[in-house]
Amino acid sequence: MEQLEYIKSILPFMLSGLELTVKIYFGTLLIALPIGVLAAVGKVSGPPILKKILYLYTWIWRGTPLLLQLFFVFFGLPVLGIKLSPLPAAIVTYSLNYGAYLTEIFRGGLESIDKGQYEASKALGMSYGQTMRRIIIPQTIRRVLPPTCSEAVNLVKDTPMLALLGMADLLRISNQIFTRDFNITSYVLAFIIYLIISSVLVKLFGNLEKKYSVYE
Amino acid sequence: MEYILEILPVLLKGLGISLKIYVTVIVLILPLAILVAIGKVSGPQILKKILHLYTWIWRGTPLLLQLFFVYYAFPYFGITLSPFACVILAFVLNIAAYEAEIIRAGIESIDKGQYEAAKALGMSYWQTMRRIIIPQTVRRVLPATCNEAILTFKDTALVATVTLGDLMRSAKELVFADYRITPFIVAFAFYLLISSILVQLFAKLEKKYSIYE
Amino acid sequence: MIRMSNIHKYFGDLHVLKGVSLEVKKGEIVSIIGPSGSGKSTFLRCMNQLEKIDKGVVEIEGMVVEAAGDVTEKVTAFPKDVRATYRKMGMVFQNFNLFPHMTVLGNVIEAPMTVNKTDKVAAIEIAEQQLAKVGLLDKIDAYPSKLSGGQRQRVAIARALAMKPEIMLFDEPTSALDPELVGEVLEVIKKLAADHMTMLVVTHEMSFARELSHRIVFMDEGEIIEECPPQQFFEAPSHARVKLFLEKML
Amino acid sequence: MIRMSNIHKYFGDLHVLKGVSLEVKKGEIVSIIGPSGSGKSTFLRCMNQLEKIDKGVVEIEGMVVEAAGDVTEKVTAFPKDVRATYRKMGMVFQNFNLFPHMTVLGNVIEAPMTVNKTDKVAAIEIAEQQLAKVGLLDKIDAYPSKLSGGQRQRVAIARALAMKPEIMLFDEPTSALDPELVGEVLEVIKKLAADHMTMLVVTHEMSFARELSHRIVFMDEGEIIEECPPQQFFEAPSHARVKLFLEKML
Amino acid sequence: GCGGQKSEDLSWTKIQDKGQFVVGLDDNYPPAGFHDATGELVGIDIDLAKEAAKRLGVDVVFQPVQWDGVMMNLKNGDIDVIWNALGITEKRKKEIAFTNVYMIDKNVIVVPVNSSIKTKADLAGKIVGLQAGSTAEPAVTDDPIGKELKEIRKFENPTQALLDLQAGRIDAVVTNEMNGRFLINQENAQDKYHILSEEAGYFGEEPYGVGLRLEDKAFLAELNRVLDEMKADGTAAQISEKWFGANIIE
Ligand SMILES: Nc1ncnc2c1ncn2[C@@H]1O[C@H](COP(=O)(O)OP(=O)(O)OP(=O)(O)O)[C@@H](O)[C@H]1O
Ligand SMILES: Nc1ncnc2c1ncn2[C@@H]1O[C@H](COP(=O)(O)OP(=O)(O)OP(=O)(O)O)[C@@H](O)[C@H]1O
Ligand SMILES: [Mg+2]
Ligand SMILES: [Mg+2]
């Protein structure tokens, strides 16, 4: 009972941390998705110089830890004279990081489409643009949906790194309550909240996948 | 340049700790993950339920939170482990949960015909698993597993939060002490180097395992 | 040798086998023909327990090895003997189902070694014998992926033969093959026939069925609707459905 | 209608077509036969620019649409006209290559709408006409994954026909089909023949080639080694390689 | 100022233009700054900063930051002042400017209640925990005993170090007295910790000041002015009474 009272007393504060988590989450998705699509198309059919640049981009951003990237953007860029306030800085870093992963997913998807689909389109007289837009991209979306959704779920679980930058997300706040009250309830609560969010997302994305698989 | 030479020993020491954690985690994960996967595919109902719960919770929550939990909350239940042991425990439980799912999917992706052919030849379930299914599964899950292995290396950057002086922490301390970003850049280079090496290594491994394709 | 009596099989609500009975004698070659979905594969698979039957009796060499549903016979043999009896059947699948991670030799010695506990030297000897029979001694170290379809199917046959079966079941052994490769597999099966191997063959190859089998069984919608020697089957089938089918096929 | 002169094609070092020439007249039906790997598909694909040729000349209705290597002819037509000319060719593939994310109707109206800018109502009208011709009007809203192989191939044919081609290229249109489903596709091709459609068919179906084609072309190792009317081809082939091939196939 | 060799210090004007200054702090550092049960940011430094802002006629914004990077935040311009029990050290003086001292604290040694560590000298061979980037870090390493320690473990904040002390992974925690006393008086921590007496030993006096950028001289002067005012008219003493029940403001 006492425990319940305690939970009730800390919950509003914890949920205020969730707000930041949610902002970062949607901000990132909104930017990372277009980056992924465009960079993937560039990687598959862009000019060699663009391909090289995009290769470099995915190599660096996939090859180093997100945490280091965050520290770099938060503390390194200002030294070079580039100043961003915390929220945009976080969103930019997350977006570039996830954009790099999504690029590779989408590229894999594009390349997995059977050559026969291109040939059939060409034999019907369709141009490259028409083929991509009408035939290849729609099939790619279906194919990359599962890994994309799983990245989207991973993102939820990467947002707690904000806590290490002093941003008051759900984890930092539960950490604060924990260290203030010497009571692990806030951690348990955080576990449950994250579990609920990722389970809900898994469910949602599952429905999305189902919707897109009508033709199978 | 001189500055880089000056900070290099500190960063290298941090890298050493990162690598020590990494290797320990990697060595422990595979056996655990294979057992969990087999349990999930063909264990008794109750075991399946428990393993489902395990993978659900550990895949559904952030590694960082798990790390904090193991480090700060376990002592409340009377379990006090050294920082290194905490890190290993949190990482192994987390990554094994992911890896177990990969292996399970791998086992389930093997063509039904393989089971049937083995059965038609008179092989028992365990003979079939050991001789026919698992070897093919290993080949099939190799790419996803290598991917996981590379991600794991980058995740080691999180251990700085529980007092271990890994590469990430060394770099951070240097940056904050000297107000220069060079340590970050050197750390970037180290991580990039190691993950590129890992990519190469795993590509070789995949090639080796693909002789029969 | 084999007697299947009044076999019924359901997949969910789908009644796939509706009381099929068939007897095969030692040395006999029986071809099973019929339209797609008529239950030919299912029937064959019920014979060697790849599918559980829902009703009926399976007898092999006089021993009841499976009895289900409302029947008077019971399985009285020890499980060990039942298993040993099943081992007398070799099966060859449409899609070969070779073990892709093993070489040709590895495929053929696997079952003798793990199931019969034959030692490796002896197993290799058996394997070489069988591979010679199917004409693939030179491919002994190749992986299945490097073989043509016809070669794969011949390895699959050698693999089944290495267990010294007394009866071979073939489920459309040539229908996954390019037309040009069908011949080499049929050649091997003909050789087995010459050795008086008992065989049950589901096939779409009419000329093969006509030439080789002692008896042809025609299945339709889960029932055997015609069962007679090949000549009668092709020249004077009694059933309209069979006539229609033959017209389409030839 | 089409004239291919001295076509050469390499894949890397592999010389796949070694100077192949062929002329097809309006309303003619030509079957291309030959062993696997002889270059039949490649030749067909060179015809409608799915493969670039390395040497030779492609002429369609008197217009040089492609000329490569050391030849005197040049492509003089405007690119626009060349494209329009190519559109007169419809192609049907062995693996159908239907668009899996579109319904049957979607597949058939796609090209008329995007390429010819036909409006949707008119495109549907054309589609219904063609689907009626291949007997699939009732499957108009199904997705390809829900169709049998034979039905898929018939949709692929309808899809090609919807572009009102003057010549149809078929690359082994029935070889990915179960034997029982081959008939329905050949039936549709026969209908096209009756309508005097010009057709080039790579096939393994000897009876079909014999019955329908005006001319049979036999390819081996990148060359045409026999070219004659079907009767002569099957009864008195001049080339030993052809005889061997026919023995194996029949 | 731009272009001039002697640029005028516009720091105070800028603050006035913005109408606010940004305080960087570790918002998990009671009683200087922390969140109370309702999540509100409170603390003695919070109160002091608010009062100072009122007197300066501008708003104050509190920006929680990662403590070990706080100096960088200041230099990078993310925040305007550090006001969070910031110890004045020689090393820090090289990097940033400080206001006049407003409080003097010391780094004390916290041990579990029945620890064998009775004096500072007993720390030899023990593991000591402290907050990364705090003054405790140089205070311990620069002390002679620092060389005799087994290990120094760095935590994100003193609370985590205290928790680890309770868990038994470390033997002692060095943190400033104000924070240490506040924490161990918490409900769940009472009777678990013990702070070594002044005689038993501690690590240096620690005067607190507000940290600013070296170049922000004009703002520094303003801040010093209002701080002195607050001390003079007793407001600072009132705030101290509220938090400590006594006036410890210097
Ligand atoms: N595992 C299964 N689950 C559900 N239905 C099945 C299963 N296996 C077969 N069926 C159905 O049972 C029926 C008979 O199938 P079976 O494979 O025995 O036919 P078949 O005569 O061998 O056909 P084919 O010539 O195409 O191989 C079909 O309708 C099929 O869809
Ligand atoms: N894209 C390609 N790259 C490299 N080699 C190719 C390619 N396409 C075909 N080949 C090779 O060219 C040769 C001719 O192939 P092609 O597909 O034209 O033969 P085909 O007569 O159609 O055979 P099939 O009857 O098996 O379809 C073969 O040796 C084949 O391996
Ligand atoms: Mg079958
Ligand atoms: Mg071909």
Side-chain angles (χ1 to χ4, degrees):
Chain A
M1 207 49 229
E2 204 179 310
Q3 190 68 2
L4 216 65
E5 280 302 308
Y6 178 66
I7 291 175
K8 246 166 93 195
S9 74
I10 61 173
L11 208 53
F13 187 27
M14 290 196 63
L15 291 181
S16 76
L18 199 55
E19 190 188 321
L20 179 71
T21 304
V22 167
K23 267 188 201 151
I24 295 279
Y25 185 75
F26 286 106
T28 302
L29 275 194
L30 232 58
I31 301 176
L33 278 173
I35 290 182
V37 173
L38 293 178
V41 174
K43 256 192 154 177
V44 171
S45 53
I49 171 77
L50 183 66
K51 279 188 190 170
K52 282 233 173 67
I53 294 172
L54 291 172
Y55 173 82
L56 216 63
Y57 160 60
T58 50
W59 179 59
I60 293 178
W61 285 85
R62 280 158 34 104
T64 53
L66 175 55
L67 188 58
L68 182 58
Q69 293 163 7
L70 282 167
F71 272 104
F72 189 80
V73 171
F74 267 67
F75 296 104
L77 287 187
V79 172
L80 305 176
I82 305 164
K83 264 180 231 161
L84 296 166
S85 44
L87 188 68
I91 292 181
V92 164
T93 318
Y94 276 94
S95 298
L96 285 173
N97 183 284
Y98 272 81
Y101 283 95
L102 291 179
T103 301
E104 285 303 296
I105 290 175
F106 295 161
R107 186 187 56 78
L110 282 176
E111 287 175 351
S112 77
I113 303 293
D114 183 27
K115 221 172 108 245
Q117 294 290 314
Y118 290 92
E119 296 190 339
S121 310
K122 191 166 179 201
L124 286 170
M126 294 168 78
S127 69
Y128 183 76
Q130 285 172 334
T131 306
M132 288 307 275
R133 216 178 51 245
R134 304 276 313 162
I135 309 298
I136 307 301
I137 303 269
Q139 291 181 53
T140 305
I141 289 180
R142 166 69 196 101
R143 248 182 239 189
V144 300
L145 209 54
T148 305
C149 291
S150 105
E151 279 302 308
V153 175
N154 281 341
L155 179 56
V156 177
K157 288 174 278 164
D158 269 347
T159 53
M161 278 184 212
L162 294 171
L164 303 179
L165 297 161
M167 292 181 75
D169 79 321
L170 180 57
L171 178 65
R172 186 174 174 91
I173 285 180
S174 45
N175 212 345
Q176 280 172 3
I177 297 175
F178 168 61
T179 52
R180 183 191 70 202
D181 298 346
F182 292 81
N183 188 323
I184 58 165
T185 312
S186 63
Y187 273 167
V188 177
L189 226 53
F191 253 109
I192 294 171
I193 293 176
Y194 279 117
L195 206 51
I196 291 173
I197 296 177
S198 46
S199 302
V200 167
L201 283 177
V202 167
K203 192 104 207 128
L204 270 175
F205 289 135
N207 286 347
L208 195 65
E209 278 174 40
K210 217 183 211 155
K211 201 187 121 200
Y212 264 89
S213 63
V214 277
Y215 63 76
E216 270 162 9
Chain B
M1 193 59 219
E2 228 168 81
Y3 179 65
I4 293 182
L5 284 179
E6 196 185 311
I7 60 174
L8 214 50
V10 182
L11 289 176
L12 280 175
K13 192 161 160 248
L15 182 63
I17 293 179
S18 297
L19 285 175
K20 187 171 145 206
I21 293 167
Y22 182 65
V23 172
T24 316
V25 169
I26 290 293
V27 168
L28 291 176
I29 275 173
L30 263 191
L32 184 63
I34 290 181
L35 289 180
V36 172
I38 293 182
K40 270 192 135 178
V41 170
S42 52
Q45 275 308 316
I46 172 78
L47 183 66
K48 277 188 191 170
K49 282 236 172 67
I50 293 172
L51 293 175
H52 175 80
L53 210 66
Y54 158 63
T55 47
W56 178 59
I57 293 179
W58 286 87
R59 280 157 39 101
T61 54
L63 174 56
L64 192 57
L65 179 59
Q66 293 164 6
L67 203 55
F68 280 162
F69 200 80
V70 169
Y71 194 87
Y72 291 112
F74 269 29
Y76 281 78
F77 305 108
I79 307 166
T80 305
L81 304 166
S82 74
F84 186 75
C86 282
V87 163
I88 300 298
L89 182 66
F91 269 72
V92 166
L93 285 178
N94 178 283
I95 295 152
Y98 283 92
E99 183 60 23
E101 283 300 290
I102 291 175
I103 296 178
R104 185 190 55 76
I107 291 177
E108 286 175 353
S109 78
I110 303 291
D111 183 27
K112 220 172 110 246
Q114 294 291 313
Y115 290 92
E116 295 191 340
K119 190 168 178 197
L121 287 169
M123 293 168 80
S124 71
Y125 180 77
W126 281 109
Q127 285 173 335
T128 308
M129 286 309 271
R130 215 182 55 242
R131 305 275 315 161
I132 310 298
I133 306 301
I134 299 287
Q136 291 181 55
T137 304
V138 169
R139 168 67 195 101
R140 231 172 258 194
V141 302
L142 207 56
T145 301
C146 294
N147 214 9
E148 241 352 91
I150 292 161
L151 288 178
T152 302
F153 182 66
K154 286 177 283 165
D155 278 344
T156 60
L158 292 178
V159 309
T161 53
V162 292
T163 75
L164 285 178
D166 75 322
L167 178 56
M168 177 73 210
R169 182 171 205 113
S170 319
K172 217 170 80 177
E173 285 186 356
L174 285 168
V175 168
F176 292 153
D178 301 345
Y179 309 102
R180 296 173 69 165
I181 57 166
T182 320
F184 274 161
I185 294 174
V186 177
F188 258 113
F190 275 148
Y191 278 112
L192 213 46
L193 184 72
I194 302 272
S195 37
S196 301
I197 291 175
L198 287 175
V199 169
Q200 286 295 322
L201 263 169
F202 288 132
K204 282 227 177 76
L205 197 65
E206 275 179 44
K207 204 155 167 204
K208 200 188 123 200
Y209 265 89
S210 65
I211 39 165
Y212 64 76
E213 271 164 8
Chain C
M1 176 113 204
I2 294 189
R3 201 167 65 177
M4 312 275 291
S5 320
N6 194 27
I7 306 290
H8 284 262
K9 172 76 191 171
Y10 293 81
F11 284 120
D13 285 343
L14 197 66
H15 199 167
V16 177
L17 297 180
K18 302 170 182 165
V20 182
S21 302
L22 182 72
E23 201 168 332
V24 183
K25 297 213 182 56
K26 200 166 180 69
E28 216 184 1
I29 298 173
V30 177
S31 292
I32 304 180
I33 290 176
S36 184
S38 57
K40 308 180 295 293
S41 298
T42 307
F43 183 53
L44 211 65
R45 294 156 57 82
C46 283
M47 218 168 279
N48 72 345
Q49 254 188 345
L50 285 180
E51 303 285 358
K52 282 251 165 291
I53 60 176
D54 291 310
K55 191 180 160 192
V57 179
V58 181
E59 268 177 78
I60 301 176
E61 300 203 322
M63 182 188 289
V64 176
V65 290
E66 204 180 351
D70 181 20
V71 291
T72 48
E73 287 90 340
K74 288 275 160 291
V75 180
T76 50
F78 291 113
K80 196 166 82 46
D81 295 331
V82 171
R83 274 203 301 278
T85 307
Y86 275 119
R87 251 174 251 157
K88 291 181 185 157
M89 272 189 256
M91 175 132 184
V92 174
F93 301 84
Q94 177 176 0
N95 293 320
F96 331 135
N97 290 338
L98 290 182
F99 304 136
H101 59 303
M102 296 175 172
T103 60
V104 165
L105 183 67
N107 266 279
V108 183
I109 63 174
E110 179 63 23
M113 282 175 63
T114 55
V115 178
N116 291 349
K117 312 288 176 208
T118 311
D119 71 55
K120 190 157 182 179
V121 179
I124 291 179
E125 201 172 308
I126 300 173
E128 285 176 343
Q129 232 170 319
Q130 302 305 338
L131 285 170
K133 191 177 279 174
V134 301
L136 279 176
L137 258 186
D138 54 325
K139 294 286 179 192
I140 207 153
D141 289 322
Y143 281 94
S145 59
K146 295 287 179 296
L147 302 180
S148 74
Q151 293 171 330
R152 286 181 206 184
Q153 194 58 297
R154 279 145 65 200
V155 174
I157 295 173
R159 182 175 69 176
L161 291 176
M163 290 297 280
K164 308 276 179 205
E166 295 183 12
I167 173 161
M168 288 282 284
L169 313 179
F170 290 88
D171 191 1
E172 305 197 24
T174 61
S175 63
L177 301 179
D178 284 345
E180 275 196 284
L181 304 175
V182 169
E184 59 189 67
V185 173
L186 293 184
E187 215 46 61
V188 170
I189 301 181
K190 278 183 200 163
K191 239 194 237 168
L192 293 181
D195 292 352
H196 303 294
M197 173 67 83
T198 317
M199 293 194 277
L200 244 156
V201 189
V202 175
T203 185
H204 280 296
E205 294 288 326
M206 292 305 139
S207 55
F208 171 81
R210 182 202 299 243
E211 212 180 290
L212 232 70
S213 33
H214 303 117
R215 197 151 33 112
I216 288 184
V217 166
F218 187 88
M219 283 187 72
D220 190 31
E221 301 195 347
E223 291 176 289
I224 293 182
I225 59 171
E226 182 106 42
E227 188 181 344
C228 57
Q231 194 173 357
Q232 185 186 341
F233 181 85
F234 285 102
E235 278 152 31
S238 59
H239 211 288
R241 182 71 186 85
V242 180
K243 274 185 206 143
L244 196 72
F245 181 83
L246 289 176
E247 264 166 37
K248 263 200 186 174
M249 290 299 289
L250 298 177
Chain D
M1 176 112 204
I2 295 189
R3 200 167 66 177
M4 312 275 290
S5 322
N6 194 28
I7 306 290
H8 285 262
K9 172 76 193 172
Y10 292 82
F11 284 120
D13 285 344
L14 196 67
H15 200 168
V16 177
L17 296 181
K18 303 170 182 164
V20 182
S21 301
L22 182 71
E23 201 166 332
V24 182
K25 297 210 183 59
K26 198 166 182 69
E28 216 182 1
I29 299 173
V30 178
S31 291
I32 304 180
I33 290 176
S36 185
S38 56
K40 309 180 294 295
S41 299
T42 307
F43 183 54
L44 211 64
R45 294 156 58 82
C46 283
M47 216 169 279
N48 71 345
Q49 254 190 345
L50 285 180
E51 304 285 359
K52 280 251 165 291
I53 59 176
D54 291 312
K55 190 181 161 193
V57 180
V58 181
E59 267 177 80
I60 301 176
E61 300 204 321
M63 183 189 288
V64 176
V65 289
E66 203 179 353
D70 180 20
V71 291
T72 48
E73 287 91 338
K74 287 277 160 291
V75 180
T76 49
F78 291 113
K80 196 165 80 48
D81 294 332
V82 170
R83 273 202 302 278
T85 307
Y86 275 118
R87 251 175 249 157
K88 290 182 187 159
M89 272 189 254
M91 175 136 183
V92 174
F93 301 84
Q94 176 176 1
N95 293 319
F96 330 135
N97 290 337
L98 290 182
F99 304 136
H101 59 304
M102 296 176 172
T103 60
V104 165
L105 183 67
N107 266 278
V108 183
I109 62 173
E110 180 62 23
M113 281 176 64
T114 55
V115 179
N116 292 349
K117 310 290 177 206
T118 312
D119 71 55
K120 190 157 182 179
V121 179
I124 291 179
E125 201 172 308
I126 299 173
E128 285 177 343
Q129 231 169 317
Q130 300 306 339
L131 285 170
K133 192 178 277 173
V134 301
L136 280 175
L137 258 186
D138 52 326
K139 296 284 180 194
I140 207 153
D141 290 322
Y143 281 96
S145 60
K146 295 286 178 296
L147 302 180
S148 75
Q151 293 171 330
R152 286 181 206 185
Q153 194 58 296
R154 279 145 66 200
V155 175
I157 295 174
R159 181 176 68 175
L161 291 176
M163 290 297 281
K164 308 277 178 205
E166 295 182 13
I167 173 161
M168 288 282 284
L169 313 179
F170 291 89
D171 191 1
E172 306 198 23
T174 60
S175 63
L177 301 179
D178 285 345
E180 274 197 282
L181 305 176
V182 169
E184 59 190 69
V185 172
L186 293 184
E187 214 47 60
V188 170
I189 302 180
K190 278 182 198 160
K191 239 193 240 171
L192 294 181
D195 291 353
H196 304 293
M197 172 69 81
T198 316
M199 294 193 278
L200 243 158
V201 189
V202 174
T203 185
H204 281 296
E205 294 287 325
M206 292 306 138
S207 55
F208 170 82
R210 183 201 298 243
E211 212 181 291
L212 233 71
S213 34
H214 302 118
R215 197 152 34 114
I216 288 183
V217 166
F218 187 90
M219 282 187 72
D220 190 30
E221 301 195 348
E223 289 176 290
I224 294 183
I225 59 171
E226 182 106 41
E227 188 181 343
C228 57
Q231 195 173 357
Q232 185 186 338
F233 181 85
F234 285 101
E235 277 150 34
S238 57
H239 211 288
R241 183 71 187 86
V242 180
K243 274 184 205 142
L244 196 74
F245 181 83
L246 288 177
E247 265 165 37
K248 263 201 185 175
M249 290 298 290
L250 297 177
Chain E
C2 41
Q5 292 160 306
K6 242 181 80 186
S7 59
E8 201 187 338
D9 178 14
L10 293 174
S11 54
W12 173 234
T13 325
K14 270 195 203 149
I15 299 284
Q16 282 180 309
D17 288 349
K18 279 198 298 179
Q20 65 174 51
F21 65 96
V22 181
V23 172
L25 79 163
D26 177 357
D27 59 345
N28 196 14
Y29 202 77
F34 64 105
H35 293 274
D36 68 9
T38 63
E40 181 125 12
L41 190 61
V42 296
I44 177 164
D45 280 330
I46 305 294
D47 288 349
L48 288 172
K50 279 182 181 163
E51 179 64 26
K54 205 161 80 192
R55 288 166 192 252
L56 288 170
V58 292
D59 289 332
V60 57
V61 176
F62 294 98
Q63 173 67 63
V65 296
Q66 180 68 7
W67 185 249
D68 49 8
V70 68
M71 306 276 278
M72 272 202 98
N73 287 119
L74 182 65
K75 286 173 163 268
N76 290 340
D78 304 333
I79 56 179
D80 298 312
V81 302
I82 306 172
W83 198 328
N84 192 199
L86 180 69
I88 302 172
T89 61
E90 287 309 312
K91 183 154 187 258
R92 280 179 179 166
K93 269 191 191 161
K94 286 192 205 114
E95 307 287 346
I96 60 173
F98 285 96
T99 59
N100 301 329
V101 176
Y102 65 88
M103 203 186 283
I104 292 184
D105 201 351
K106 55 183 184 282
N107 279 308
V108 294
I109 300 162
V110 187
V111 295
V113 270
N114 36 28
S115 167
S116 62
I117 299 172
K118 305 290 185 209
T119 66
K120 189 172 169 183
D122 294 339
L123 287 179
K126 298 287 198 269
I127 302 174
V128 168
L130 46 79
Q131 182 184 19
S134 71
T135 51
E137 200 178 331
V140 172
T141 41
D142 294 347
D143 196 278
I145 195 85
K147 317 243 162 353
E148 293 175 47
L149 297 178
K150 184 170 173 213
E151 194 184 337
I152 294 177
R153 295 244 175 98
K154 296 167 192 168
F155 293 83
E156 259 189 272
N157 56 50
T159 329
Q160 287 181 348
L162 286 178
L163 284 165
D164 223 22
L165 185 61
Q166 195 179 321
R169 276 186 283 240
I170 55 178
D171 303 307
V173 170
V174 175
T175 185
N176 63 61
E177 185 168 14
M178 170 175 98
N179 172 257
R181 288 218 184 276
F182 185 92
L183 286 177
I184 69 176
N185 281 327
Q186 292 289 301
E187 193 185 328
N188 286 323
Q190 269 164 16
D191 312 327
K192 288 184 179 141
Y193 301 105
H194 170 65
I195 294 181
L196 292 194
S197 65
E198 213 160 310
E199 299 76 55
Y202 60 93
F203 288 91
E205 300 254 291
E206 194 181 27
Y208 289 156
V210 181
L212 288 84
R213 277 178 290 273
L214 277 175
E215 62 272 22
D216 290 0
K217 297 215 172 62
F219 184 30
L220 179 67
E222 282 298 312
L223 213 49
N224 269 328
R225 179 179 63 77
V226 294
L227 274 177
D228 290 343
E229 247 179 61
M230 284 158 62
K231 284 183 205 166
D233 66 14
T235 320
Q238 264 174 28
I239 292 172
S240 173
E241 294 275 351
K242 171 180 163 194
W243 287 101
F244 299 107
N247 180 17
I248 56 168
I249 300 285
E250 290 293 314

